[in-house]
Amino acid sequence: MTDAPKRQMKLGVFANPTGNHVASWRHPDAQADAGVNFAHYAEIAQSAERAKFDMIFLSDNICVREAKMEALSRSAQYVANFEPLTLLSALSVVTSRIGLVATASTSYNEPYHVARKFASLDHLSQGRAGWNLVTSALGAEAPNFGRETHFDHRERYLRAHEFATIVTGLWDSWDDDAFVRDKESGRFFTPDALHTLNHKGEFFSVKGPLNVARTPQGWPVIVQAGGSEDMMAVAAEFAEVIFCAPLTFEAARTFYDKIKGHAASRSRSADTMKILPGLAPIVGRTDAEAAEKVRHLESLTHPVVALEILSTILGGIDFSGYDIDAPFPDDLPATTNASQYVYASAQELARSENLTLREVALRMAGARGKNVVTGTPKQIADMMEEWFEGGAADGFNILPSHFPGGLNDFVEMVVPELQRRGLFRTEYEGTTLRENLGLARPGNRYVEQLTPIAV
Amino acid sequence: MTDAPKRQMKLGVFANPTGNHVASWRHPDAQADAGVNFAHYAEIAQSAERAKFDMIFLSDNICVREAKMEALSRSAQYVANFEPLTLLSALSVVTSRIGLVATASTSYNEPYHVARKFASLDHLSQGRAGWNLVTSALGAEAPNFGRETHFDHRERYLRAHEFATIVTGLWDSWDDDAFVRDKESGRFFTPDALHTLNHKGEFFSVKGPLNVARTPQGWPVIVQAGGSEDMMAVAAEFAEVIFCAPLTFEAARTFYDKIKGHAASRSRSADTMKILPGLAPIVGRTDAEAAEKVRHLESLTHPVVALEILSTILGGIDFSGYDIDAPFPDDLPATTNASQYVYASAQELARSENLTLREVALRMAGARGKNVVTGTPKQIADMMEEWFEGGAADGFNILPSHFPGGLNDFVEMVVPELQRRGLFRTEYEGTTLRENLGLARPGNRYVEQLTPIAV
Ligand SMILES: Cc1cc2nc3c(=O)[nH]c(=O)nc-3n(C[C@H](O)[C@H](O)[C@H](O)COP(=O)(O)O)c2cc1C
Ligand SMILES: Cc1cc2nc3c(=O)[nH]c(=O)nc-3n(C[C@H](O)[C@H](O)[C@H](O)COP(=O)(O)O)c2cc1C
């Protein structure tokens, strides 16, 4: 028998401006101007921090989402919002323990800027920064950066790999104790403690050193999302947290095993990578109360919006030829890999309850294809425990349906239930995101010769 | 006779981490870890705000400054520090009136990112953001962004011009009243209020629209520094505030007339552009006290550092062959245009006081070639009034020798003197940086058809 403390869940909150539900902005509770309302985000971050969440997560696209205007103009998501790094920097001032994770694309940024901004955020927050490394997902981003089309999938991740190599190299530009700042002798830093990267690679050439001191966490925590082989090759080496969106326990467990296997192939132990499936909870004190909350959100959803999102999560299907009040069509054209699970779920749902296209759209698009769990705190905690203990998750990225109500419900009802079960902390373990996630602080490659020095 | 309120100075504070003086970090007062110390910057910003400064200004280079290691390792400036936009975003939370101006380079950034981050800061700060548009000055920046050398001077400003055209175009992506957020009808924004830039130019191709709502200021305030013809061509069209570094009244007045003439040639009235020369004040209650402060800072300056900075401000002269304790050499090789004034001043200083190279270096390099004025509050206010009333300045960018002492001296002694003379505000005129600077809020080009719509 060991005295090892019980393994506990890690929790993130996905801070889509007004919430995860497509109609969230119309909810009576909602701050419809969330995208320009700092006080709103401060409230979310502070609530999540009071509940001891590990981190707040800001997704990002570098464009206005493309959609038919009738649908787009009824949406609050991925239209116009604060830029994540500026917003998290401001949030660092009104929080003290919660991790601050921003998304930045390796396809449309320079590694020096990304290394620098996240390092700066890590200093501002005293060790709470995380970088969600993405390769960009939307076609509309490319033309904002001088390209007609996106890089192809494989090239995207080859660039991402080199990009992460550079960023982490720049984060090691200074030894932890480089800055002696000795007023007496006049020595500000130790000359030997400065390291120049001199990277020349296939896609980037970056000399360095970085003009930010090594950060409290050594490196900000690296997060990734996705699931392709290309993505896993990068994640195996760099990712410390994985966001994913499986819709069933089986899918989650398969993904969990696969990506931890990738990490193992790089000699990483399983607990150096935390897998957090997305979870969109709708919590009620009773089943009926929870069901009523779902119905309310559905009633706020415009069918045009629902159909547009359903089309998007099904890989871009064009529904314009279909009757919205006819049974869900069983002759949909082939979709992309990424949306196959979603497609199967939609068909399953339609068959089992005999639903029309409109009904499927309202049901599935509401949560934007995320894994919704509706019920009492006990039911939701049961599902989370099952995934967590069953090898399908190290925790969850919580997508509240709307802010602040959807988050408050989870915080007030589900978090205490998880704590009672010993599945979630009642106090932060440390002051940095790494400490709370149970991730080691990386040594400096130049000091510890952990990896060959890049030339 | 008119009742027009008396014209008043605009004041910025140049927030070099530990202060403007090369030895500032060694001052007993100084926060030597300023570059990673948020509380330090919060204190500076709040002091400046209590004194009703218009803005706090963060200069920026995207590299570790290059210098011989013996000098560099004794320097706190342009080595390692917070990244400006993340820092100002955090400062927006602990201030409410002072403007927040960050530097961003048009040579090593994407216009979409710059437009977006400054727009985001303008929302976070409720209308206090400013962008110091630079084309990058240091050779060490290029190799951090895949280039061996910098773009040549002319190309730099051609790019800058196109860059500013795009950024301001993106800032007009949404009408001010685009986001109706009508929960009742379900309309989030008005379709006609969204404008796509579709820019295709010589250097950049940027489609838009920007994914941030039009900001409180319409456009963040645009600032520029420099003095070449190339720079003035861009400034004439875009710059609303100019930072400059003349060393004499005559030089300041000549520059003032010239650049306002450039603005006039674009049909801009003189008061749409505010000229703020840099001013490095050393304030004492008596002449003797002020002189003692100078002597103290000089005593903290390592000769190697002084010589390195003197070399830099004289355009890169190599002093290694010179005896530091011999008279200031009169056979210096030709220097760049930018440093001609500084060179003439150094010669003049050496001749008039019979100084050695070491003495000139300590005296001139201390303030990094900036215009130092040493004396009592009255003397300093006299000089400022003379420049301000004499057509050489619309205000000043104050470079305190060290923080917080050098700023506090100015705030406690000089500001009240300026206020007594009616030369500086005792209360902010408005809540936005534009309002305080007396700059109009730009109309949206798509709504007002002020300029042709870019295609
Ligand atoms: C939970 C989750 C969050 C994501 N957030 C972003 C994001 O903020 N920005 C982005 O460009 N892509 C985002 N993605 C997309 C992924 O980075 C990835 O491109 C996508 O899942 C396809 O996987 P693949 O790249 O492995 O093919 C996210 C994906 C998931 C599952
Ligand atoms: C007060 C002042 C502040 C400046 N700040 C910066 C800065 O933060 N970053 C930068 O790259 N250049 C900075 N510069 C350099 C100018 O942008 C410009 O490149 C330089 O003065 C040379 O002028 P020119 O470009 O017109 O030839 C500054 C110049 C002055 C006078």
Side-chain angles (χ1 to χ4, degrees):
Chain A
M1 297 287 290
T2 76
D3 281 306
K6 183 169 166 155
R7 173 174 164 261
Q8 291 187 319
M9 289 178 189
K10 307 301 172 191
L11 292 182
V13 57
F14 189 108
N16 223 319
T18 57
N20 181 59
H21 198 281
V22 285
S24 53
W25 72 270
R26 294 182 70 186
H27 195 283
D29 266 16
Q31 205 68 49
D33 67 350
V36 294
N37 185 332
F38 176 66
H40 163 78
Y41 279 99
E43 182 187 339
I44 294 176
Q46 290 172 341
S47 298
E49 184 168 85
R50 272 193 302 275
K52 317 299 177 200
F53 269 73
D54 290 82
M55 57 199 151
I56 179 169
F57 162 61
L58 299 181
S59 64
D60 194 44
N61 298 301
I62 329 167
C63 63
V64 172
R65 190 163 67 82
E66 267 181 344
K68 293 203 184 104
M69 190 49 91
E70 254 314 283
L72 189 67
S73 64
R74 296 170 183 279
S75 295
Q77 283 158 340
Y78 303 109
V79 173
N81 191 23
F82 289 119
E83 183 278 331
L85 272 159
T86 45
L87 176 57
L88 289 184
S89 299
L91 287 175
S92 76
V93 179
V94 296
T95 55
S96 63
R97 285 293 175 272
I98 195 165
L100 306 166
V101 181
T103 298
S105 166
T106 55
S107 297
Y108 303 114
N109 275 299
E110 292 283 346
Y112 198 91
H113 289 310
V114 167
R116 189 176 180 218
K117 283 177 206 290
F118 282 90
S120 188
L121 178 62
D122 208 43
H123 282 292
L124 285 170
S125 63
Q126 297 179 19
R128 297 185 285 130
W131 169 31
N132 181 33
L133 180 170
V134 300
T135 60
S136 288
L138 303 185
E141 298 177 275
N144 290 333
F145 298 93
R147 292 182 58 89
E148 296 200 357
T149 56
H150 199 0
F151 299 101
D152 77 39
H153 198 277
R154 191 171 152 65
E155 179 173 350
R156 230 138 103 181
Y157 280 102
L158 289 173
R159 289 173 65 94
H161 187 277
E162 189 179 328
F163 196 111
T165 306
I166 298 165
V167 167
T168 54
L170 289 171
W171 284 336
D172 283 348
S173 293
W174 299 90
D175 294 354
D176 286 313
D177 56 2
F179 294 93
V180 291
R181 306 182 186 109
D182 182 0
K183 289 188 181 182
E184 194 55 39
S185 71
R187 186 69 70 185
F188 191 67
F189 69 82
T190 308
D192 289 350
L194 172 56
H195 312 286
T196 302
L197 185 65
N198 281 321
H199 175 92
K200 280 200 206 311
E202 191 181 345
F203 302 102
F204 301 100
S205 155
V206 179
K207 183 155 181 239
L210 192 67
N211 57 352
V212 182
R214 200 159 194 268
T215 76
Q217 295 190 107
W219 301 357
V221 172
I222 301 181
V223 180
Q224 272 188 258
S228 60
E229 287 295 323
D230 292 337
M231 175 272 183
M232 293 209 197
V234 178
E237 194 167 346
F238 292 104
E240 302 176 285
V241 174
I242 301 282
F243 293 149
C244 49
L247 290 174
T248 63
F249 173 79
E250 269 316 316
R253 209 174 59 170
T254 305
F255 178 79
Y256 187 97
D257 286 344
K258 192 164 169 193
I259 199 155
K260 292 242 173 166
H262 273 273
S265 76
R266 306 284 311 210
S267 309
R268 289 175 60 184
S269 77
D271 58 3
T272 64
M273 186 192 265
K274 310 293 175 188
I275 316 299
L276 309 192
L279 186 67
I282 311 263
V283 198
R285 270 157 302 188
T286 60
D287 272 340
E289 190 183 271
E292 169 53 27
K293 287 182 181 173
V294 173
R295 199 208 52 75
H296 181 210
L297 283 162
E298 278 179 18
S299 77
L300 298 173
T301 311
H302 196 285
V304 165
V305 175
L307 216 55
E308 188 256 317
I309 301 287
L310 185 66
S311 155
T312 304
I313 63 184
L314 290 180
I317 287 176
D318 180 4
F319 283 114
S320 51
Y322 293 85
D323 177 357
I324 192 166
D325 288 313
F328 186 73
D330 53 10
D331 59 343
L332 292 174
T335 58
T336 61
N337 282 348
S339 58
Q340 268 172 9
Y341 289 125
V342 190
Y343 185 30
S345 310
Q347 288 182 306
E348 174 60 28
L349 178 71
R351 228 170 307 170
S352 68
E353 303 188 30
N354 227 332
L355 302 179
T356 62
L357 173 55
R358 179 196 299 266
E359 286 161 335
V360 169
L362 287 177
R363 193 79 68 80
M364 293 208 45
R368 303 186 306 117
K370 294 304 188 302
N371 182 27
V372 182
V373 50
T374 306
T376 63
K378 188 182 166 310
Q379 286 164 346
I380 292 173
D382 284 349
M383 176 257 143
M384 293 173 76
E385 182 166 5
E386 185 197 338
W387 285 40
F388 179 65
E389 299 294 0
D394 294 314
F396 297 89
N397 201 21
I398 302 300
L399 299 109
S401 55
H402 64 289
F403 288 110
L407 175 61
N408 291 345
D409 286 350
F410 185 84
V411 160
E412 286 160 22
M413 295 192 268
V414 182
V415 168
E417 177 64 26
L418 295 171
Q419 289 170 330
R420 256 191 302 279
R421 300 183 188 190
L423 290 170
F424 190 57
R425 68 168 69 84
T426 53
E427 207 26 88
Y428 283 110
E429 293 83 10
T431 61
T432 70
L433 176 56
R434 276 187 185 283
E435 285 164 0
N436 291 321
L437 289 173
L439 296 169
R441 186 174 187 279
N444 187 315
R445 72 194 61 193
Y446 298 99
V447 177
E448 310 199 357
Q449 307 285 332
L450 290 175
T451 54
I453 294 172
V455 188
Chain B
M1 295 288 291
T2 76
D3 281 305
K6 183 170 164 153
R7 171 174 165 261
Q8 292 188 318
M9 289 179 189
K10 308 302 171 189
L11 292 182
V13 57
F14 189 106
N16 223 317
T18 57
N20 181 59
H21 198 280
V22 287
S24 52
W25 72 270
R26 294 182 70 186
H27 196 282
D29 266 17
Q31 206 66 49
D33 67 350
V36 293
N37 186 332
F38 175 66
H40 163 78
Y41 279 99
E43 183 186 340
I44 294 175
Q46 290 171 341
S47 297
E49 184 169 84
R50 273 192 302 274
K52 318 297 176 201
F53 270 74
D54 291 82
M55 59 199 149
I56 178 167
F57 162 61
L58 299 181
S59 64
D60 193 46
N61 298 301
I62 330 168
C63 62
V64 172
R65 189 163 66 84
E66 266 181 344
K68 292 202 185 107
M69 190 49 89
E70 255 313 284
L72 188 66
S73 64
R74 295 170 183 282
S75 294
Q77 282 157 341
Y78 303 110
V79 174
N81 192 22
F82 290 117
E83 183 278 332
L85 271 159
T86 45
L87 176 56
L88 288 185
S89 299
L91 287 175
S92 75
V93 179
V94 297
T95 54
S96 63
R97 287 292 175 273
I98 194 165
L100 305 166
V101 181
T103 299
S105 166
T106 56
S107 296
Y108 303 116
N109 274 300
E110 293 282 346
Y112 199 91
H113 289 311
V114 168
R116 190 176 179 217
K117 283 177 206 289
F118 282 90
S120 188
L121 178 62
D122 208 42
H123 281 292
L124 285 169
S125 63
Q126 296 178 19
R128 297 184 286 129
W131 169 31
N132 181 33
L133 180 170
V134 302
T135 61
S136 288
L138 303 184
E141 298 177 274
N144 290 333
F145 299 92
R147 292 183 58 90
E148 296 200 358
T149 56
H150 200 0
F151 300 101
D152 77 38
H153 198 277
R154 192 170 151 66
E155 179 174 350
R156 232 137 101 179
Y157 281 102
L158 289 174
R159 290 174 64 95
H161 188 276
E162 189 178 328
F163 197 111
T165 306
I166 298 165
V167 167
T168 54
L170 289 171
W171 284 336
D172 284 348
S173 293
W174 299 89
D175 293 355
D176 286 312
D177 56 2
F179 294 94
V180 289
R181 304 182 188 110
D182 182 0
K183 288 187 182 183
E184 195 55 41
S185 72
R187 185 70 69 185
F188 191 67
F189 68 83
T190 308
D192 288 350
L194 171 56
H195 311 286
T196 302
L197 185 65
N198 281 322
H199 175 91
K200 281 200 203 314
E202 190 180 346
F203 301 103
F204 300 100
S205 155
V206 179
K207 182 155 181 242
L210 192 66
N211 56 353
V212 182
R214 201 160 193 266
T215 76
Q217 295 189 105
W219 301 357
V221 173
I222 300 181
V223 180
Q224 272 189 258
S228 60
E229 287 295 323
D230 293 336
M231 175 271 184
M232 293 208 199
V234 178
E237 194 167 345
F238 293 104
E240 303 175 284
V241 174
I242 301 282
F243 292 148
C244 50
L247 290 173
T248 63
F249 174 79
E250 269 315 316
R253 210 175 56 171
T254 305
F255 178 81
Y256 187 98
D257 286 344
K258 191 164 171 194
I259 198 154
K260 293 242 172 167
H262 273 271
S265 75
R266 305 283 311 210
S267 309
R268 290 175 57 184
S269 78
D271 59 3
T272 63
M273 186 192 265
K274 310 292 174 188
I275 316 298
L276 308 192
L279 186 67
I282 311 263
V283 198
R285 268 155 304 189
T286 61
D287 272 341
E289 191 183 90
E292 170 53 26
K293 287 182 182 175
V294 172
R295 199 209 51 76
H296 182 210
L297 283 162
E298 279 179 18
S299 78
L300 298 173
T301 311
H302 196 285
V304 166
V305 175
L307 217 54
E308 188 256 316
I309 301 286
L310 185 65
S311 154
T312 304
I313 63 185
L314 289 179
I317 286 175
D318 180 5
F319 283 114
S320 51
Y322 292 85
D323 177 358
I324 192 167
D325 289 312
F328 187 74
D330 53 10
D331 59 344
L332 292 175
T335 57
T336 60
N337 282 347
S339 57
Q340 269 172 9
Y341 289 126
V342 190
Y343 185 30
S345 311
Q347 288 183 305
E348 175 60 26
L349 178 71
R351 229 170 305 168
S352 68
E353 303 187 30
N354 226 331
L355 301 179
T356 63
L357 174 55
R358 179 196 299 266
E359 287 162 335
V360 170
L362 287 177
R363 193 79 68 81
M364 294 209 43
R368 304 184 308 116
K370 295 305 189 298
N371 182 27
V372 182
V373 50
T374 306
T376 62
K378 188 184 165 308
Q379 287 164 346
I380 292 172
D382 284 351
M383 175 257 144
M384 292 173 76
E385 181 166 5
E386 186 197 336
W387 285 40
F388 178 67
E389 300 294 0
D394 294 314
F396 297 89
N397 200 20
I398 302 300
L399 300 108
S401 56
H402 64 289
F403 288 111
L407 175 61
N408 292 344
D409 286 350
F410 185 85
V411 161
E412 287 159 21
M413 296 191 269
V414 182
V415 168
E417 178 63 26
L418 296 172
Q419 289 170 330
R420 257 190 302 279
R421 300 182 189 189
L423 289 170
F424 189 58
R425 67 168 70 84
T426 53
E427 207 27 86
Y428 284 109
E429 293 82 11
T431 61
T432 70
L433 176 56
R434 278 188 184 281
E435 285 165 359
N436 290 321
L437 289 173
L439 296 169
R441 186 174 187 278
N444 187 316
R445 72 192 62 192
Y446 298 99
V447 177
E448 309 200 356
Q449 305 286 333
L450 290 175
T451 55
I453 294 173
V455 187

